[in-house]
Amino acid sequence: MQSDEDNHVIICADTDLNDVSNALEAELGESDSTKLIWQPNITTEVDLDGLTKLMKLLDTLEEDDDIQRVTANFEASDEVMAAFGDE
Amino acid sequence: MAGHSKWANIQHRKGRQDKLRSKLFSKLAKEITVAAKMGDPDPDKNPRLRLAVKEAKSSSVPKDVIERAIKKSQGGDAENYDEIRYEGYGPNGVAVIVEAMTDNRNRTASTVRSTFSKNGGNLGETGSVGFMFDRKGQVVYPADVADADTVMMAAIEAGA
């Protein structure tokens, strides 16, 4: 589990998702989101240039009506994320 | 696990931008139609459909859109969607998984391939990057639902 200023994120085994989310809802109420994800177990660090190019690829893929979801295993420092957010 | 939170953050931020809101609605509706078609049209008897409906509701998809998506799955003339996973590398060797639902595999495969190559990446074989990811369940609560310790206790009790 991870918490930051916006969210609490709880990760569980894919096959347990229904049971875990039901149990959590009994305790905490309706969640913001409950879904199966691809969680990276190895990540690749990107700089601002790399992140900008990568986001263009991911955004273009996501804009296609046939594509439901896109996941990438990148990692970026706080500085790079902040600089990207400012662009 | 610092990398994961940044990864989650950008997903979250992108979701919030809402500039592609109608696209998001149609994607969520498609997941509902596919889930309802594969199993029981009653969300209580179909775990995948239940999750799809819940996810749609939490993204404020209107109720009638959800009902229409379920109804659509029961009509004989509903499109047949194939679920396909594409795997490839983006710029800087970042691994990318693309999940598609399509009624035309050829169209989608060629679009995905050319999008990768136009943007400094390349599409690989299925399985080429999958080992770098684990399939997991994820539940997200707003920070103000409770403090971290309370949520942690609830998560442990829930079996996470």
Side-chain angles (χ1 to χ4, degrees):
Chain A
M1 182 193 129
Q2 277 178 40
S3 299
D4 62 25
E5 64 269 29
D6 294 325
N7 293 299
H8 302 290
V9 179
I10 298 120
I11 301 289
C12 64
D14 54 350
T15 47
D16 293 344
L17 182 58
N18 250 302
D19 293 341
V20 169
S21 69
N22 284 339
L24 282 170
E25 285 193 357
E27 200 70 25
L28 303 170
E30 190 104 333
S31 65
D32 268 4
S33 163
T34 300
K35 61 186 171 192
L36 289 169
I37 58 158
W38 296 100
Q39 184 178 44
N41 54 40
I42 306 169
T43 54
T44 300
E45 179 95 30
V46 292
D47 59 13
L48 181 58
D49 181 54
L51 183 63
T52 308
K53 285 181 179 153
L54 179 67
M55 282 302 144
K56 184 151 180 284
L57 169 66
L58 303 185
D59 283 345
T60 311
L61 286 167
E62 270 180 354
E63 275 169 28
D64 191 283
D65 287 335
D66 294 337
I67 290 165
Q68 291 290 100
R69 198 136 44 108
V70 183
T71 310
N73 72 341
F74 71 93
E75 188 171 343
S77 68
D78 290 338
E79 293 75 34
V80 169
M81 290 298 290
F84 180 73
D86 289 342
E87 277 195 351
Chain B
M1 304 279 268
H4 291 153
S5 74
K6 280 165 210 152
W7 169 76
N9 276 342
I10 204 155
Q11 294 280 2
H12 190 70
R13 200 176 61 93
K14 275 159 63 73
R16 268 197 182 160
Q17 279 176 351
D18 274 356
K19 62 172 186 188
L20 300 169
R21 194 171 186 79
S22 64
K23 280 233 157 101
L24 177 68
F25 279 16
S26 78
K27 284 173 202 227
L28 291 166
K30 200 191 236 180
E31 165 68 23
I32 290 172
T33 304
V34 169
K37 198 171 177 133
M38 275 172 48
D40 197 292
D42 178 356
D44 291 333
K45 295 177 191 152
N46 181 338
R48 180 170 169 183
L49 179 59
R50 200 184 79 88
L51 283 179
V53 169
K54 213 155 94 69
E55 196 60 25
K57 277 186 185 157
S58 64
S59 297
S60 320
V61 176
K63 212 173 173 176
D64 63 304
V65 174
I66 294 174
E67 277 163 12
R68 225 180 306 137
I70 295 176
K71 205 173 266 174
K72 196 177 163 195
S73 72
Q74 304 305 301
D77 54 349
E79 295 98 333
N80 268 311
Y81 291 118
D82 290 327
E83 287 185 79
I84 314 168
R85 194 168 78 232
Y86 299 99
E87 301 183 13
Y89 287 96
N92 294 17
V94 174
V96 180
I97 293 183
V98 179
E99 290 164 274
M101 281 180 186
T102 178
D103 54 359
N104 185 335
R105 279 169 173 263
N106 293 335
R107 178 188 64 217
T108 309
S110 89
T111 307
V112 171
R113 189 175 299 281
S114 73
T115 304
F116 268 93
S117 58
K118 275 181 205 156
N119 290 282
N122 61 288
L123 188 61
E125 300 291 315
T126 300
S128 58
V129 307
F131 66 94
M132 289 185 246
F133 298 84
D134 298 315
R135 195 63 161 152
K136 293 283 186 186
Q138 182 197 56
V139 185
V140 180
Y141 276 96
D144 60 9
V145 74
D147 61 66
D149 289 342
T150 308
V151 177
M152 177 72 93
M153 282 308 293
I156 292 166
E157 272 168 37

